[in-house]
Amino acid sequence: MVTEKIVLNQPERFAKIPEISREKLVRAAEKATDKLEEFAKKNPCAFPGTCTKNFKYECAENKNWEAGMYTGCYWLAYELTGNEFFRKEAESHIPSYKVRLDGKIGIEGHDVGFPFMPSCVAAWKITGNEYARKIALDTADYVMAERYFPKSEYKCIKTTGHHTMMDTLMNATLLLWAGKETGDSKYTEAGLNQSITTNKLLIRADGSSYHHYIFDPETEEPIKGWTLQGHSDDSCWSRGHAWGIYGFPVAYDYTGADFLPGLHRDITYFMLNHLPEDCIPYWDYDFISGEESRDSSAGLISACGMLEMAKHLPDTAEQKNVFKSAAAQIVEAVIDNCTGDIGVDYDGLVNKVTHAKPQGQGIDECAVYGDYFYLEALTRYLKPDWVRYW
Ligand code: GLY
């Protein structure tokens, strides 16, 4: 929980909202959707793996956390272009989510919203697909029964190893959505408890975050903060933090809980105080300069989260224009520096994504979630009435 006063170190840096020209955004979206179509047509795999290896996606099936974002790329591309090819591709994925739910494939842990929100919930929102809606609602019931732990003061969704994570905030969106969709407050309460527990345990006094928190499986009492993909247990892993910068505004939109805007401002200011001059985050906020790897996906997820929160803040909120300024600077920096020629042919839509540095996976490469949040950021600018999938 934040206890220090968090101020922006360089308010002048975010005082003006730069306008990304429409022409530049349209060109970026055309390039990205053309590349996605080309990839889909030449790709023999059902789904790509999480991240590229030597800039090429390996073949995978629909069983990982990020698969939903591959389907989500097609939905976003469909909304951006109106090209029926993308709608058909996205729709062709939907039955594989029913297979996942029935077989409990890759949802036995906490990754329950990442797969189903930008695929099935998006299908329902865009085309009114009742079959997809039911898959998502049935998954929410499965989460309530099997993955949500309500006994202790620290109610939350947990992995099989009894961890909860910053990432889990995005998974809790499934419960928040199910609450709104069905009118049953049990889902909303559980979804909001993820934010409450995250605030109590994973958010530190200075506005940074632990990646994971470990619980005792017997008592459900918290034990300690930990990291999987960050630099150290005590550092702030950039993408984990970004899941909070997006996850808390979504929880705020569904619940209106009044602690969320202040908490969100504090953790976002922590990120902005650690954002390098060129606006592409390092893979961990222990680094603010030098040769360490970058994670453009952390920038894009944070930009989408700031744009989301800005929609729900009154004009009098001091952070509103800061968020709009920072988001535009990050998105423009990604267009300019992470989508161009790097001397090798890369499968993804954006480069300079670091998936898991300590594990040596996808370092300065591309990743499905980077592609998805790039398209989502472009969609947010080009289609201001776009309806969020989360
Ligand atoms: N496990 C979620 C992530 O890599 O961001």
Side-chain angles (χ1 to χ4, degrees):
M1 200 177 294
V2 179
T3 53
E4 295 169 18
K5 182 158 174 55
I6 316 293
V7 290
L8 264 187
N9 291 345
Q10 294 176 277
E12 64 290 348
R13 191 177 166 195
F14 305 105
K16 273 211 207 111
I17 305 172
E19 191 164 338
I20 316 176
S21 77
R22 189 161 177 90
E23 197 197 335
K24 185 172 200 168
L25 289 163
V26 168
R27 246 189 295 118
E30 274 173 9
K31 183 174 166 188
T33 52
D34 286 352
K35 192 167 185 185
L36 185 66
E37 185 170 356
E38 195 190 315
F39 178 75
K41 287 182 174 160
K42 72 168 194 229
N43 175 26
C45 318
F47 282 77
T50 310
C51 52
T52 56
K53 205 174 198 175
N54 298 323
F55 297 100
K56 295 284 159 206
Y57 281 120
E58 295 179 320
C59 277
E61 290 162 28
N62 187 355
K63 59 179 187 187
N64 295 325
W65 67 277
E66 81 294 336
M69 282 169 274
Y70 183 52
T71 308
C73 281
Y74 288 125
W75 282 128
L76 289 166
Y78 173 56
E79 296 215 69
L80 279 166
T81 63
N83 180 345
E84 288 292 317
F85 168 80
F86 292 122
R87 182 183 60 75
K88 287 185 192 142
E89 282 292 311
E91 267 170 1
S92 75
H93 290 181
I94 301 299
S96 68
Y97 289 93
K98 172 86 170 110
V99 172
R100 270 188 88 155
L101 173 63
D102 290 348
K104 308 289 175 283
I105 300 166
I107 57 168
E108 63 280 27
H110 77 131
D111 279 327
V112 285
F114 279 127
F116 293 89
M117 295 300 284
S119 58
C120 295
V121 172
W124 162 242
K125 289 187 177 185
I126 299 164
T127 67
N129 184 329
E130 296 271 1
Y131 174 64
R133 175 180 181 269
K134 179 150 171 38
I135 296 169
L137 287 176
D138 288 349
T139 309
D141 283 334
Y142 158 73
V143 178
M144 290 298 289
E146 306 283 338
R147 303 307 328 152
Y148 178 62
F149 292 79
K151 279 200 219 128
S152 83
E153 178 197 342
Y154 303 98
K155 300 172 182 24
C156 59
I157 298 168
K158 288 181 195 154
T159 65
T160 43
H162 290 265
H163 292 201
T164 204
M165 314 179 197
M166 289 301 286
D167 325 22
T168 320
L169 287 166
M170 295 302 279
N171 289 320
T173 62
L174 178 68
L175 299 183
L176 294 163
W177 168 78
K180 183 171 179 201
E181 198 60 27
T182 61
D184 188 336
S185 60
K186 76 171 185 234
Y187 300 104
T188 313
E189 211 177 284
L192 181 59
N193 280 334
Q194 190 67 38
S195 288
I196 293 171
T197 294
T198 303
N199 183 29
K200 284 182 187 161
L201 297 178
L202 287 98
I203 303 299
R204 303 191 187 100
D206 65 352
S208 66
S209 55
Y210 289 111
H211 180 199
H212 287 219
Y213 221 90
I214 306 177
F215 293 81
D216 182 313
E218 302 300 325
T219 62
E220 296 189 14
E221 286 302 318
I223 298 175
K224 61 170 184 170
W226 185 76
T227 198
L228 177 68
Q229 281 147 289
H231 184 225
S232 78
D233 290 349
D234 295 325
S235 73
C236 182
W237 177 51
S238 309
R239 196 165 62 256
H241 203 67
W243 296 130
I245 292 173
Y246 199 149
F248 288 133
V250 176
Y252 183 58
D253 184 32
Y254 281 114
T255 67
D258 57 10
F259 71 99
L260 287 167
L263 165 65
H264 180 262
R265 182 198 56 227
D266 288 345
I267 71 161
T268 307
Y269 280 9
F270 175 90
M271 183 275 287
L272 295 176
N273 287 341
H274 292 77
L275 187 66
E277 277 309 305
D278 64 9
C279 290
I280 311 295
Y282 285 89
W283 67 280
D284 189 290
Y285 290 124
D286 263 3
F287 309 106
I288 47 173
S289 62
E291 297 305 312
E292 280 288 338
S293 308
R294 305 301 187 107
D295 186 2
S296 59
S297 79
L300 290 165
I301 298 160
S302 302
C304 290
M306 287 189 280
L307 291 173
E308 182 60 34
M309 195 50 141
K311 279 169 55 177
H312 307 294
L313 291 171
D315 288 344
T316 50
E318 71 163 52
Q319 70 270 43
K320 186 168 175 151
N321 282 351
V322 171
F323 289 175
K324 287 186 181 174
S325 169
Q329 291 184 53
I330 292 171
V331 172
E332 189 152 36
V334 172
I335 297 172
D336 290 345
N337 301 311
C338 307
T339 66
D341 189 0
I342 52 167
V344 287
D345 188 21
Y346 54 97
D347 276 349
L349 308 181
V350 287
N351 54 59
K352 294 197 178 79
V353 176
T354 292
H355 175 61
K357 181 96 193 241
Q359 291 75 18
Q361 293 166 1
I363 300 167
D364 279 322
E365 291 257 353
C366 311
V368 173
Y369 47 84
D371 295 348
Y372 171 86
F373 283 98
Y374 180 54
L375 286 176
E376 185 180 309
L378 295 176
T379 308
R380 282 177 177 274
Y381 284 106
L382 287 167
K383 292 179 75 93
D385 295 333
W386 175 72
V387 177
R388 201 184 61 225
Y389 301 164
W390 302 94

